[in-house]
Amino acid sequence: METWPRILTVTVAAIVITFVELYYNIQAYTLTTTPFLLIGVALGVFLGFRNNASYDKFWEGRKLWGALVNTSRSLTRQACFMLDSVQSSGELQRLREAFVKRVIAFVHALRCHLRNEDPVEEIKKFLSPKDLNEVVQSTHRPLTILQQLGRDLAFARNQHWLNQFSYPFMEAQLNELCNILGACERIKNTPIPFSYSVLIHRIVATYCLLLPFGLVESIGILTPFVVLMISYAFFELDAIGDEIENPFGLQPNDLPLTTISRNIEINLLELINDPDRPEALKPKNDISV
């Protein structure tokens, strides 16, 4: 854990301070526990507020990706049954399959967009060379795929494969995908204020470093052990806020976007009876990515 160097540093400092205080019987710099109790309560409130703000972002991100699962499934179901014609048409079937695969491409592109990754390898098998080139050349790739999905619906309506009553329902699902995209970007691009995080880091470090001066007189030789326990709690709480602040990253505690994307891909390909379906991703060391 990245917090252990700080915890060990504070513990070593506590050992040195305890040894000097007890061996040389220095009382001039000894404090009471009262100021540390008061500061500790305030610090706990600040850490709790900061971690609640981070968890709100994490949980909202999870709800958005849950909505993405539901919306992609609904859109695929609508494509299978609302895109219809009196006469069976191979072109219509190709449009259905292309539309559903484009939805899958959007899901993968959104994940890569949130993680600052290149989505080309993930989406190239779901798009035609012309459409792929258009996506690659764009500055906002998920939005470009949404534009292509809108063109598919407009083409189906013009071909009378999608009637005027069904069109608004499918268009509403595209709007929902756009809303999910925008909400995910808001979470990613709106971090907790940097000055607030820095202040918390500094207060926690200062509090733990000075803590031995308030404990050594009352608990003596056990001071380093108590400092170790308290600093572990405060540093870990501080680290948790940092860890979950951006839920779309690649850390072990971040959302498993790759696993969710793969599950969406499998579900949607199954709905259109595509035999070329990948295997579901399994956790590695009990961690899903």
Side-chain angles (χ1 to χ4, degrees), residues 6 66 68 153 205 226-227 235 252 261:
R6 287 179 285 173
L68 179 63
L153 291 185
V226 175
V227 170
F235 281 128
S261 301

Side-chain angles (χ1 to χ4, degrees), residues 84-100:
D84 201 3
S85 176
V86 176
Q87 295 181 345
S88 178
S89 171
E91 187 178 2
L92 172 58
Q93 182 59 28
R94 286 191 293 271
L95 176 64
R96 285 197 192 105
E97 294 178 356
F99 184 86
V100 173

Side-chain angles (χ1 to χ4, degrees), residues 40-53:
V41 171
L43 185 56
V45 172
F46 281 127
L47 284 172
F49 174 80
R50 194 280 186 102
N51 285 1
N52 284 338

Side-chain angles (χ1 to χ4, degrees), residues 17-36:
I17 293 171
T18 302
F19 173 78
V20 172
E21 290 269 2
L22 296 179
Y23 186 80
Y24 293 101
N25 196 26
I26 299 175
Q27 302 295 327
Y29 301 104
T30 301
L31 302 173
T32 66
T33 58
T34 302
F36 294 96

